[in-house]
Amino acid sequence: PLAAGAGVLVGGGYLASNAFYTVDAGHIGIKYSRMSGVGNTNYREGVHFLLPWFERPIIFDVRARPHTMTSLTGSKDLQMVNISLRALAKPDMNKLPEIYRSLGLDYDEKVLPSIINETLKSIVAQYNASQLITQRELVSRVIRQRLVQRAQDFGILLDD
């Protein structure tokens, strides 16, 4: 009886200490369940309940983070151009479960370098080196439009 009481007390203590998790400001949580997989509900900042062992929280940082990429690419007149791009990226909060299923928590490190490089090379190749200088605003606007469009395919929002 004493050992059973101690076991219930220890088990209850374990459940009580592991049944809650905290989502900090600037983050969104989703739950992974051993029974049903990744859930579709977003959990905003605050304290939330989960079933220990059956569920675990997955916490996403949804604040905009800067990503800088430098690319050496050829222009239309076959001159090599070194171009740098800085973008502020964050995940689309409505697509967090999909992002986690397909890309994981480090979604930005997997996707952004390749789409930035691809976009820079495809746009810069359409202009001569002199046009890149004289039509800088136009080139910048076209790069931004194409990057925003490509990033949305992966559930990433670009701010800058």
Side-chain angles (χ1 to χ4, degrees):
L2 184 61
V8 168
L9 188 61
V10 169
Y14 172 78
L15 285 176
S17 66
N18 291 316
F20 297 97
Y21 68 98
T22 303
V23 177
D24 295 327
H27 294 74
I28 298 276
I30 57 177
K31 282 186 193 175
Y32 170 79
S33 169
R34 292 183 189 266
M35 302 295 185
S36 60
V38 178
N40 290 322
T41 306
N42 290 348
Y43 297 93
R44 298 198 167 271
E45 44 290 309
V47 178
H48 302 282
F49 178 77
L50 62 85
L51 297 171
W53 192 81
F54 287 106
E55 297 177 327
R56 68 179 169 89
I58 300 161
I59 309 294
F60 275 89
D61 185 353
V62 293
R63 298 172 290 190
R65 292 185 291 184
H67 295 274
T68 304
M69 179 83 180
T70 302
S71 179
L72 184 64
T73 184
S75 64
K76 187 176 183 180
D77 56 353
L78 302 178
Q79 291 192 33
M80 296 308 288
V81 178
N82 195 8
I83 188 166
S84 292
L85 181 131
R86 180 180 182 271
L88 291 175
K90 64 182 181 181
D92 184 348
M93 288 188 263
N94 299 322
K95 296 183 179 177
L96 289 179
E98 297 169 32
I99 292 171
Y100 184 74
R101 284 184 198 108
S102 61
L103 300 170
L105 284 173
D106 56 346
Y107 62 92
D108 52 350
E109 299 301 324
K110 291 179 180 175
V111 172
L112 287 177
S114 61
I115 66 170
I116 288 173
N117 204 19
E118 168 194 325
T119 302
L120 287 176
K121 288 186 183 297
S122 68
I123 301 296
V124 169
Q126 298 173 10
Y127 297 92
N128 292 331
S130 61
Q131 289 175 317
L132 290 172
I133 296 169
T134 58
Q135 299 176 4
R136 181 180 175 149
E137 294 300 320
L138 172 66
V139 173
S140 178
R141 189 170 45 252
V142 171
I143 289 172
R144 175 172 168 64
Q145 289 171 347
R146 183 88 48 93
L147 256 181
V148 166
Q149 183 182 33
R150 287 287 291 140
Q152 282 178 345
D153 294 342
F154 297 97
I156 299 173
L157 302 176
L158 296 180
D159 288 341
D160 185 63

